[in-house]
Amino acid sequence: MPVAMEQNATPSAQRDDIPKEPVSFLGTNGPDNGRLPHSLAITPPLLSQDTVHDVDQEQPPCSSDNSPQDVAPKDVTPKASGLHLFETQSYLQPTHDSQNLEAPPQSVDREKVGEAPLTAKSFDRTISPTSTLLKNRGAAYEKVGEEGVCKMHKFSLYETATRYYIVGGDIMDRRFRILKIDRTAEPGDLSIAEDDIIYTKKEMKQLLNAVDDGNKSTGGMKLKCSTWAILGFIRFTGAWYMMLITKRSQVAMIGGHYIYQVDGTELVPLTTATGSRFKSDRNAEEARFLSILHNIDLSRSFYFSYSYDITRTLQHNMMRERQALRDGLSHPAHADLNAMFVWNHYLLEPAVDTLKLTFDWCLPIIHGFIDQATLSIYGRTVYITIIARRSRYFAGARFLKRGANDLGYVANDVETEQIVSEMLTTSFHAPGPRLYANPNYTSYVQHRGSIPLYWTQDNTGVSPKPDIELNLVDPFYTAAALHFDNLFERYGGPIYVLNLIKSRERMPRESKLLEEYTNAVNYLNQFLPSDKKLIYKAWDMSRASKSRDQDVIGTLEDIAEEVMTATGFFRNGDDGTSMMQNGVARTNCIDCLDRTNAAQFVVGKRALGHQLHALGVIDDTSIDYDSDAVNLFTHMYHDHGDTIAIQYGGSHLVNTMETYRKINQWTSHSRDMVESFKRYYHNSFLDGQRQEAYNLFLGNYIFAQGQPMLWDLATDYYLHHADPRAWSKKRRRNYIEWFTPGFLEQREMPPLVAPQGELAKRPSDFFDDYWLEYYRPLAVSSFLKIFSYRMNSTLRYIPFKSTEEKQYDLSPFLARTGHERYSPEKKKSRKGVKIIVPHDDNNSDGASSHFSQPTPATRQTSIQKWLQPQTLEQPSPYHSIMKEPHIEPSNTLSLKEFIPADKSLTALWTLEQFVLNSLNPSVTTLEAEEYQRYVSHPLNLPLVVSTETPPNPSLDFLGYINSVSPQAVDGWIVGEEDRADFEGFLDVKENPLMVLEEDRPKKRYKAYRQWLKGKSLFKQQRVEP
């Protein structure tokens, strides 16, 4: 199919897909792609001599109790609508000869999965292999990577008494590979055997049947679990563990390559099974290490991809692929992962040392944030993708990791990339095909990180803002030099340094770092070339946001335009249309959270305008606030900032874009207080545990005999810094030529070269496997389950009623006025009746939850389904059609009959109802009676005309009478000091707001006296000398 036809092919060809749990390899009686003669059996090289011996040796006969029993077939045929169909109908049928390969119990949700069961099934062993075992090398798979290598997308883990077998299958379930892990190896030894042969389904079925038959005496082979990927291997004090991804979900699609979020993991011990004579005892230290590791929730904000390198920017990936074509290669010769962002790097090290093709089995994961949304412009579709990559170097919690280490790595180092692409075609290739030359892909990269100096904050006290300490003053600023040299290596020059910390404070905190940071930049700039000097901009954003005469957003817009002029952005394409980003904007405040995220949003918004202009979508480079496009982008950056803040600070953003735009300041004040308290609580009580988990997972701490345990360390300083004993042996860097000149060279896109020689005869899918991954041939699904249709979109902001009346401009770049703004969470309801429709994937009428017009239901629900695809992910709590309580259905709203809903349903009121009730107030009969009792209550009290005690008085009343009797008053004793204070209160001056010098000793001005000394009015702290 030509590349230009891809847009039309997407809805019918793409698979929805992606069940939450993987589906294991299926053994069947159905037809196979690569058939073998009945007399031919196969054995891979990984069937070692001991395994073959198990097959050949004489097995004891099975008793009648252990003989296979017939299993009644279960009806697992999928529903006809909305489900994927397998290539072979028999794949869905159970087998009778496979209970030795037991699978875990299934819990299938057909409406969510669609095309396959969530749990794995075993192989069918209908043909036992013979003793004549031959290798079949005719099944080489020439799809991905080098010749004969098969890219695997799902795995099944089988176990015997002494070994694990991992079976990996490709995305089409046609080619398979196998890996063997020895469970009887000595503690500390990792024994993995890799088979380089590619098997068909039938061949793999025969192979596993042979392994099962050879282990009948020890229980045979059983299915342990199914997995989507292997994260690596880790060891603490004894045995090895293997970490697997058991659940995943799609979060983005770039160039036809899906990016997934890790939703579930499992840690499998590579030891012998329970009850075996090889079982090893787990000591207390091992159990504690495991509990520390479990403190890291790998199901939050960890991402991976099978075929796209998410550790690198789009610009780097395109440059690398085109350079490989120039070198006559179909793919780059080796993996070029950015180790800084590979969070399972430590877990991959054993696999790299053991396996020949490590990344065919193990996948790197990144930590950060990924989101994707659709911008709809009159039928044109533009994808906006935000990818934030957190560095694993000097990683940790907020107050425990500040500044930089002596290797130049800074805390809270996050690289944020926004990719804007117009989806006229899916892949990275232009029509022709011109490989990796699609001009519809653009990207822009920003960077945030802590101030690259040696500084810390001690949070052992109770203050939410501990004092900042400069631990070491380096006259040559070595840490800053190493850090900026690393930025030159990653992004080139120039580097725009945006420093947002405070410049004036009553008690110096942040301002301590301002002077030192400025001196560092000035020192380093002395030796850089004139066109590559650091562009330094220091601006007190916090003070500006509190000032009435300063425009925070306007100032940031001016800075953003300076940044775009200095660095540019990347656009893919031919030699004449491509553009490169040279340099990066580095933004920081004290935490690199609230102020930094707002500044990065404004820079990203300006970059978005340039990217859309380059794609020919808009005729200018600026986009107005309050437009649908900017609102969508704001929500994405708000989620991005919240995620980064939770990872580093323990809470969501305290100050959002609404704060700096001064929108809804009063309503957000309580939220800001709650988030501040959450951040303080996490920093004070939970960050220590989280830091231990980081150090263990990232390999900063490695157990060794005779060394202190992780939990016994007083500090982790030496885990993140170089060994001081090695300083004398290392050669010092040049203090003048602190940078690498090669890193300052201009980035240029390699020229477009067509494949030469044998590669010229290859189709485009030989170079890029996006076709199978994105379109999923031979798979059937419904639109509502396809990822592209479930993405967030500007269509959600279109009010349906206005479009019917032709009163709404559908342009996402038009700034909305107050009455034109629309939020999908605030939908108008029909007068008198609110109809809640259950969200059912099998209901073709859709999942609309509110009707704002009395139009036919089928038409309304159909359009609402397209406008609001997110309802599939967040179903309504209501499961039936019901009326709103206390509201009678009628065409006109009667104020006399109106009864307000109870408090549990007030959140469901629309804005129109709220305004209507406010303008036409009404009270119920119960409320009127209560008010009447309140008004008439004093009239029922008799006038007090005597001092006689009323009959039957209460004890409180008698106590009051006795306390104010003349005898009690005469007994009161008032001190002279109290009398003087009372007289002082009664002495009101002509100007009561004026405080004179003689008033200072008075008690009422104690807090004022403390404030004059420099202390806070709310928390009393020691004043620094």
Side-chain angles (χ1 to χ4, degrees):
M1 179 182 294
V3 179
M5 296 289 292
E6 293 176 16
Q7 181 70 15
N8 298 329
T10 303
S12 61
Q14 182 184 354
R15 195 171 181 172
D16 92 314
D17 101 76
I18 315 311
K20 294 287 289 185
E21 297 180 1
V23 181
S24 70
F25 178 79
L26 302 175
T28 70
N29 294 322
D32 244 49
N33 292 322
R35 294 182 177 273
L36 292 178
H38 290 288
S39 61
L40 179 61
I42 57 173
T43 298
L46 70 81
L47 282 180
S48 57
Q49 191 64 34
D50 54 347
T51 307
V52 176
H53 177 72
D54 292 339
V55 176
D56 295 337
Q57 67 182 356
E58 182 178 355
Q59 300 290 340
C62 297
S63 62
S64 59
D65 295 337
N66 297 329
S67 61
Q69 302 293 328
D70 291 337
V71 179
K74 300 179 181 179
D75 184 12
V76 293
T77 306
K79 299 178 182 179
S81 62
L83 299 178
H84 291 289
L85 303 180
F86 283 98
E87 301 171 28
T88 308
Q89 183 68 20
S90 60
Y91 289 1
L92 297 173
Q93 303 300 330
T95 59
H96 300 274
D97 196 20
S98 59
Q99 74 266 19
N100 289 332
L101 301 179
E102 298 178 359
Q106 301 184 24
S107 176
V108 179
D109 188 349
R110 295 290 182 186
E111 296 178 1
K112 290 184 178 180
V113 178
E115 88 279 7
L118 296 181
T119 54
K121 292 186 178 181
S122 60
F123 288 89
D124 175 30
R125 296 186 297 105
T126 56
I127 303 177
S128 298
T130 62
S131 59
T132 305
L133 303 175
L134 301 175
K135 299 179 181 179
N136 177 17
R137 296 189 178 273
Y141 190 39
E142 302 176 353
K143 272 298 291 182
V144 183
E146 59 184 274
E147 300 289 338
V149 175
C150 173
K151 175 69 69 173
M152 293 168 288
H153 284 248
K154 52 188 173 182
F155 305 85
S156 297
L157 177 63
Y158 293 90
E159 63 175 336
T160 65
T162 58
R163 289 173 181 82
Y164 280 125
Y165 294 91
I166 302 177
V167 177
D170 67 350
I171 197 170
M172 296 294 293
D173 277 336
R174 294 179 178 177
R175 297 292 184 266
F176 301 88
R177 298 177 62 191
I178 193 168
L179 194 72
K180 184 183 75 172
I181 303 176
D182 191 358
R183 302 175 63 189
T184 62
E186 293 295 328
D189 294 338
L190 182 63
S191 177
I192 304 178
E194 180 183 9
D195 188 2
D196 57 354
I197 297 180
I198 310 300
Y199 298 95
T200 62
K201 184 181 291 289
K202 184 175 181 180
E203 294 166 353
M204 182 57 65
K205 175 181 60 179
Q206 293 176 348
L207 172 60
L208 292 184
N209 284 336
V211 175
D212 188 24
D213 290 342
N215 290 274
K216 280 294 185 64
S217 60
T218 57
M221 182 170 60
K222 300 179 181 180
L223 175 67
K224 184 173 180 63
C225 67
S226 298
T227 175
W228 293 115
I230 303 174
L231 289 182
F233 305 87
I234 191 171
R235 174 176 174 263
F236 306 120
T237 63
W240 284 91
Y241 297 86
M242 178 170 57
M243 186 168 289
L244 307 173
I245 299 176
T246 56
K247 293 183 180 180
R248 69 180 186 186
S249 59
Q250 294 171 333
V251 292
M253 187 277 297
I254 303 176
H257 305 279
Y258 280 116
I259 300 176
Y260 301 91
Q261 176 175 296
V262 179
D263 290 334
T265 60
E266 183 174 350
L267 194 64
V268 179
L270 300 183
T271 57
T272 52
T274 305
S276 170
R277 57 189 176 91
F278 298 106
K279 180 181 179 181
S280 59
D281 296 331
R282 181 179 299 174
N283 52 34
E285 288 80 7
E286 185 81 4
R288 186 160 183 179
F289 277 121
L290 286 172
S291 65
I292 293 175
L293 184 66
H294 289 325
N295 287 333
I296 287 189
D297 187 3
L298 294 177
S299 63
R300 296 181 60 182
S301 306
F302 285 88
Y303 307 91
F304 70 96
S305 177
Y306 295 101
S307 51
Y308 181 77
D309 186 3
I310 57 176
T311 67
R312 296 284 188 179
T313 63
L314 178 66
Q315 174 174 304
H316 183 275
N317 290 335
M318 294 299 99
M319 291 176 59
R320 191 164 177 266
E321 293 288 351
R322 287 174 65 158
Q323 185 60 44
L325 292 176
R326 289 195 63 192
D327 297 338
L329 304 174
S330 60
H331 303 88
H334 59 278
D336 186 28
L337 302 175
N338 191 344
M340 171 178 282
F341 302 120
V342 180
W343 270 65
N344 58 334
H345 185 273
Y346 174 62
L347 279 69
L348 292 175
E349 289 179 353
V352 172
D353 296 337
T354 307
L355 302 175
K356 294 179 293 184
L357 300 172
T358 304
F359 298 103
D360 285 356
W361 298 95
C362 304
L363 292 178
I365 60 173
I366 67 170
H367 186 37
F369 172 81
I370 296 180
D371 190 18
Q372 190 173 54
T374 303
L375 193 63
S376 181
I377 310 108
Y378 297 112
R380 300 175 67 177
T381 301
V382 174
Y383 283 0
I384 301 176
T385 310
I386 294 180
I387 302 177
R389 308 174 180 92
R390 178 176 292 278
S391 172
R392 67 182 178 91
Y393 299 133
F394 205 48
R398 181 188 178 197
F399 286 136
L400 302 181
K401 289 293 168 285
R402 291 298 213 185
N405 63 5
D406 52 14
L407 300 177
Y409 299 114
V410 298
N412 199 20
D413 188 318
V414 180
E415 173 187 277
T416 301
E417 178 182 18
Q418 63 184 56
I419 300 174
V420 180
S421 56
E422 184 176 5
M423 302 310 294
L424 292 176
T425 56
T426 302
S427 70
F428 293 127
H429 315 302
R434 301 193 302 278
L435 299 178
Y436 301 102
N438 189 345
N440 296 322
Y441 279 87
T442 65
S443 76
Y444 181 74
V445 181
Q446 299 185 68
H447 177 271
R448 73 170 69 184
S450 187
I451 298 175
L453 301 172
Y454 297 115
W455 63 280
T456 59
Q457 281 183 284
D458 184 10
N459 68 328
T460 55
V462 296
S463 175
K465 294 183 178 181
D467 293 336
I468 294 176
E469 299 180 5
L470 279 165
N471 307 96
L472 177 64
V473 178
D474 182 4
F476 303 105
Y477 302 101
T478 307
L482 290 171
H483 173 67
F484 284 114
D485 191 39
N486 178 256
L487 293 184
F488 283 136
E489 179 184 6
R490 291 155 60 183
Y491 311 111
I495 296 176
Y496 195 104
V497 181
L498 180 57
N499 186 12
L500 302 176
I501 62 177
K502 299 177 182 179
S503 59
R504 295 174 59 188
E505 297 173 291
R506 186 180 300 274
M507 295 180 61
R509 290 182 61 256
E510 299 182 14
S511 54
K512 294 180 182 178
L513 300 174
L514 177 62
E515 182 180 358
E516 192 70 13
Y517 194 18
T518 304
N519 293 337
V521 173
N522 293 336
Y523 170 81
L524 298 176
N525 264 340
Q526 298 178 82
F527 315 109
L528 285 171
S530 58
D531 58 336
K532 301 297 182 182
K533 291 184 180 295
L534 303 176
I535 305 174
Y536 182 70
K537 174 72 174 181
W539 179 51
D540 191 342
M541 182 175 173
S542 177
R543 187 178 186 87
S545 65
K546 298 175 183 178
S547 176
R548 296 183 179 181
D549 58 349
Q550 293 194 46
D551 183 8
V552 176
I553 301 301
T555 305
L556 288 176
E557 288 282 357
D558 295 338
I559 294 175
E561 188 58 37
E562 295 177 10
V563 169
M564 294 303 302
T565 304
T567 64
F569 64 96
F570 168 71
R571 183 190 181 189
N572 196 25
D574 298 333
D575 298 338
T577 60
S578 63
M579 294 184 290
M580 302 294 290
Q581 178 178 347
N582 286 276
V584 72
R586 185 200 189 278
T587 311
N588 70 268
C589 52
I590 198 66
D591 294 320
C592 301
L593 296 179
D594 301 349
R595 286 168 281 177
T596 298
N597 197 74
Q600 284 198 338
F601 162 77
V602 176
V603 175
K605 170 183 167 295
R606 180 53 61 97
L608 176 64
H610 282 270
Q611 291 172 285
L612 293 174
H613 176 71
L615 294 176
V617 176
I618 57 178
D619 57 358
D620 196 4
T621 59
S622 62
I623 311 176
D624 293 333
Y625 285 94
D626 297 321
S627 62
D628 293 345
V630 173
N631 289 340
L632 180 71
F633 192 66
T634 304
H635 290 168
M636 295 179 70
Y637 248 91
H638 187 274
D639 293 341
H640 162 262
D642 276 343
T643 304
I644 298 301
I646 290 174
Q647 293 167 5
Y648 184 61
S651 72
H652 294 85
L653 290 174
V654 175
N655 299 312
T656 63
M657 277 302 300
E658 291 183 347
T659 306
Y660 295 109
R661 292 187 62 192
K662 300 181 180 179
I663 302 175
N664 298 331
Q665 287 183 292
W666 293 106
T667 57
S668 62
H669 186 65
S670 59
R671 173 197 172 276
D672 296 346
M673 293 179 59
V674 172
E675 295 303 331
S676 299
F677 177 77
K678 288 171 59 179
R679 185 173 294 182
Y680 170 73
Y681 174 78
H682 279 80
N683 298 155
S684 300
F685 304 105
L686 302 180
D687 282 355
Q689 299 177 9
R690 190 150 55 105
Q691 188 64 55
E692 286 185 348
Y694 280 145
N695 292 334
L696 187 62
F697 180 78
L698 295 175
N700 298 326
Y701 173 86
I702 301 176
F703 171 79
Q705 291 290 343
Q707 298 296 327
M709 292 295 181
L710 176 61
W711 48 87
D712 293 332
L713 295 176
T715 176
D716 65 347
Y717 176 88
Y718 296 105
L719 302 181
H720 295 269
H721 293 258
D723 188 354
R725 292 171 295 187
W727 288 353
S728 59
K729 301 178 182 178
K730 293 178 60 177
R731 183 179 178 181
R732 294 183 180 180
R733 292 175 61 92
N734 194 311
Y735 294 137
I736 297 178
E737 296 181 2
W738 56 268
F739 58 92
T740 305
F743 297 160
L744 300 180
E745 296 179 358
Q746 198 83 356
R747 264 65 168 171
E748 295 181 357
M749 177 65 75
L752 182 63
V753 177
Q756 304 295 326
E758 291 295 328
L759 295 179
K761 304 176 183 178
R762 299 285 190 177
S764 60
D765 60 350
F766 178 78
F767 302 90
D768 188 5
D769 64 338
Y770 77 94
W771 184 267
L772 293 180
E773 185 174 1
Y774 183 68
Y775 290 112
R776 298 295 181 89
L778 304 181
V780 179
S781 180
S782 61
F783 285 159
L784 301 181
K785 295 182 179 180
I786 296 176
F787 175 75
S788 301
Y789 289 95
R790 292 186 287 111
M791 273 195 293
N792 190 13
S793 172
T794 52
L795 292 177
R796 296 178 57 230
Y797 299 91
I798 299 177
F800 176 71
K801 180 179 179 180
S802 299
T803 57
E804 278 196 334
E805 298 174 355
K806 300 181 181 180
Q807 298 177 352
Y808 193 87
D809 192 335
L810 297 177
S811 171
F813 306 109
L814 178 66
R816 308 296 180 190
T817 58
H819 67 277
E820 288 180 327
R821 295 179 187 175
Y822 174 74
S823 174
E825 289 79 12
K826 297 180 180 179
K827 296 180 281 289
K828 296 182 180 180
S829 61
R830 181 179 176 181
K831 291 184 178 180
V833 178
K834 178 176 290 186
I835 301 179
I836 308 298
V837 180
H839 300 290
D840 189 347
D841 290 344
N842 295 329
N843 187 356
S844 61
D845 290 339
S848 174
S849 59
H850 299 281
F851 290 80
S852 59
Q853 292 291 332
T855 52
T858 54
R859 177 186 176 188
Q860 182 75 11
T861 54
S862 175
I863 296 180
Q864 288 286 355
K865 174 66 75 173
W866 285 99
L867 293 183
Q868 300 186 50
Q870 80 282 1
T871 54
L872 289 175
E873 301 176 358
Q874 299 177 354
S876 170
Y878 295 89
H879 300 285
S880 61
I881 297 179
M882 57 181 296
K883 297 180 181 179
E884 210 174 52
H886 308 297
I887 299 180
E888 296 295 332
S890 61
N891 293 331
T892 59
L893 184 63
S894 175
L895 296 179
K896 295 181 180 180
E897 299 175 355
F898 176 78
I899 301 177
D902 54 33
K903 293 183 179 179
S904 63
L905 296 178
T906 53
L908 298 178
W909 290 4
T910 62
L911 180 60
E912 185 175 304
Q913 288 174 324
F914 180 78
V915 173
L916 184 62
N917 296 339
S918 301
L919 297 178
N920 301 276
S922 62
V923 294
T924 63
T925 305
L926 182 62
E927 291 173 339
E929 294 176 353
E930 182 180 358
Y931 178 72
Q932 185 64 32
R933 288 198 306 270
Y934 171 77
V935 172
S936 60
H937 176 69
L939 302 180
N940 298 328
L941 295 177
L943 293 177
V944 180
V945 295
S946 67
T947 59
E948 296 180 359
T949 303
N952 301 324
S954 64
L955 295 179
D956 294 338
F957 183 69
L958 290 177
Y960 170 73
I961 292 177
N962 295 330
S963 64
V964 297
S965 63
Q967 297 80 5
V969 173
D970 293 339
W972 289 354
I973 300 176
V974 180
E976 292 298 329
E977 184 179 357
D978 295 334
R979 187 184 301 276
D981 290 341
F982 181 69
E983 292 176 352
F985 278 106
L986 296 179
D987 184 15
V988 181
K989 297 181 177 61
E990 184 176 350
N991 185 358
L993 298 180
M994 180 178 296
V995 181
L996 303 178
E997 186 65 26
E998 57 268 17
D999 295 328
R1000 295 187 62 179
K1002 296 181 180 179
K1003 290 184 178 180
R1004 74 182 81 170
Y1005 300 116
K1006 179 179 179 182
Y1008 178 70
R1009 293 196 302 269
Q1010 299 291 342
W1011 181 77
L1012 291 178
K1013 295 179 181 179
K1015 294 186 177 181
S1016 172
L1017 289 173
F1018 302 100
K1019 52 180 182 297
Q1020 302 298 327
Q1021 296 180 345
R1022 178 178 59 85
V1023 180
E1024 293 186 356

